[in-house]
Amino acid sequence: MREILPALHGWLEDGTAFALATVVGVEGSAPRHPGAALAVAADGRVVGSVSGGCVEGAVYEAAAQALQDGVTRSHDYGVDDDEAYEAGLTCGGTLHVLVVPYGAPGPRAVLAGAVTAIGAGEPVAVLTVTGGEAELGATLTLRAGRVGGTLGDAGLDAAAAEDARGLLAQGANGVRRYATRGGRRCEDPVTVLVQTFAPPPRMLVFGAIDYASATARIGAFLGYRVTVCDARPAFATPERFPDADEVVRAWPHTYLAGTAVDERTVICVLTHDPKFDIPLLVAALRTPAAYIGVMGSRRTHDDRVERLREEGVGDADLRRLASPIGLDLGARTPEETAVSIAAEIVAARWGGTGRPLTGLTGDIHRPAEAR
């Protein structure tokens, strides 16, 4: 969804009617997770993807139909369905896709408020009814203590909003089911997709070297807000790191102690100099960062571990260090090394093994339960 927000913002601003197709459920192996979205404008323009190409043609037709008759519909695409087979969904899974037309002023206004807030970097949750005894496609948004729209019932709104606040705090999406509505029990419980849009996660890169430039570039590509930090003014310049969101001139451990680090933050220490590394790593291991990677040879790593032990760092914290940094790809250049670092970060985020898929069995795409 986030990747198509600029287009949605433009269409909402200029009055272009469009239909939004969103993956609201996945069974088995599928290339995209709930929340993946494709939008079709009235003039035929398309942005986004719900399947990486497998069923885009069929979803485009469903969106065109929704634009024509203004009706919200749910569509299922599975390997055993003739329609899905013709569309090319051969991965063995099933996609549940909700297609909502946005032509009427009311629904557009609710979505517009959320899109504007997300673009401004505000934490936002978007809740959408995807099934059960409620209006299909009904939308509720949460942002900065404000609520927009409704799922059709005050009690349902309150219960779903409470769940959404918890997911928003985690930066996670989720599907929730509610067995009551309007004070009565539902024969068909209401299913709600909760999509959260927290500010982009941070990547903190320490050490203004050529490897840091390549790492900043791939970090930005992955959607991180990238900060490069180094104490040396001659090296820590914006010109040397055009892909970084900010370049900071400060002692690394001092900067880290005073900046925000949460469970989605990744830290890449590329200095491999003890006078920088040791105080920085002591500070980093006190944070809840998702990943702490440290560059250096195995000899450097062994020396680093001994120095950290002398600083009182225990075995449990030492096991948090990805050192030497990156996966074994045989990387040589800064760009290749950045790929190996990024691969390790992605594997840590989603629970990947880092092994070739040809040597593994089971689902390729894991459930979207990680950060």
Side-chain angles (χ1 to χ4, degrees), residues 15-283:
T16 299
F18 63 91
L20 181 62
T22 305
V23 176
V24 297
V26 171
E27 297 171 18
S29 178
R32 303 296 299 272
H33 294 299
L38 176 148
V40 178
D43 60 11
R45 286 176 290 172
V46 181
V47 292
S49 170
V50 295
S51 70
C54 299
V55 301
E56 261 62 15
V59 174
Y60 178 91
E61 295 299 326
Q65 179 64 37
L67 280 169
Q68 182 178 353
D69 59 24
V71 177
T72 296
R73 296 183 178 88
S74 181
H75 300 266
D76 300 331
Y77 301 97
V79 71
D80 294 328
D81 301 327
D82 292 339
E83 181 180 12
Y85 181 77
E86 292 172 2
L89 184 61
T90 58
C91 59
T94 299
L95 290 176
H96 304 287
V97 179
L98 183 68
V99 181
V100 181
Y102 284 94
R108 288 177 67 91
V110 173
L111 184 63
V115 168
T116 300
I118 295 167
E122 295 180 29
V124 177
V126 178
L127 296 77
T128 307
V129 173
T130 62
E133 294 182 33
E135 180 185 352
L136 197 64
T139 302
L140 179 77
T141 63
L142 299 177
R143 58 188 181 98
R146 297 169 56 188
V147 177
T150 178
L151 302 180
D153 174 78
L156 177 59
D157 287 350
E162 185 65 24
D163 287 342
R165 290 187 183 94
L167 289 169
L168 186 56
Q170 301 170 34
N173 295 339
V175 175
R176 296 292 183 267
R177 292 176 176 82
Y178 302 93
T180 60
R181 179 172 181 268
R184 63 177 179 81
R185 188 169 185 83
C186 300
E187 292 184 9
D188 185 8
V190 178
T191 305
V192 177
L193 172 68
V194 182
Q195 299 177 78
T196 65
F197 301 88
R202 301 188 70 191
M203 172 182 280
L204 307 179
V205 181
F206 294 97
I209 61 176
D210 49 357
Y211 289 91
S213 179
T215 301
R217 189 178 314 128
I218 202 165
F221 176 75
L222 291 176
Y224 287 93
R225 177 174 176 79
V226 181
T227 297
V228 175
C229 176
D230 195 296
R232 301 167 295 176
F235 294 94
T237 65
E239 293 75 18
R240 296 189 68 228
F241 301 96
D243 298 290
D245 294 282
E246 60 179 349
V247 178
V248 176
R249 299 172 185 173
W251 278 85
H253 70 284
T254 303
Y255 171 73
L256 184 62
T259 194
V261 176
D262 62 21
E263 293 81 357
R264 301 186 301 149
T265 302
V266 299
I267 297 174
C268 301
V269 180
L270 309 183
T271 46
H272 50 82
D273 183 334
K275 69 175 177 292
F276 293 112
D277 288 1
I278 302 307
L280 172 58
L281 290 174
V282 170

Side-chain angles (χ1 to χ4, degrees), residues 255-342:
Y255 171 73
L256 184 62
T259 194
V261 176
D262 62 21
E263 293 81 357
R264 301 186 301 149
T265 302
V266 299
I267 297 174
C268 301
V269 180
L270 309 183
T271 46
H272 50 82
D273 183 334
K275 69 175 177 292
F276 293 112
D277 288 1
I278 302 307
L280 172 58
L281 290 174
V282 170
L285 289 169
R286 293 173 180 156
T287 73
Y291 171 89
I292 305 172
V294 197
M295 179 172 278
S297 67
R298 298 193 185 281
R299 178 182 298 177
T300 298
H301 170 70
D302 292 340
D303 176 71
R304 181 185 295 133
V305 167
E306 290 306 312
R307 291 173 183 266
L308 288 171
R309 290 189 190 281
E310 293 172 2
E311 294 294 327
V313 177
D315 290 342
D317 280 336
L318 290 172
R319 285 194 291 271
R320 293 182 61 198
L321 298 180
S323 175
I325 196 171
L327 296 185
D328 178 19
L329 305 183
R332 293 291 186 273
T333 68
E335 290 74 20
E336 290 174 346
T337 301
V339 170
S340 79
I341 294 171

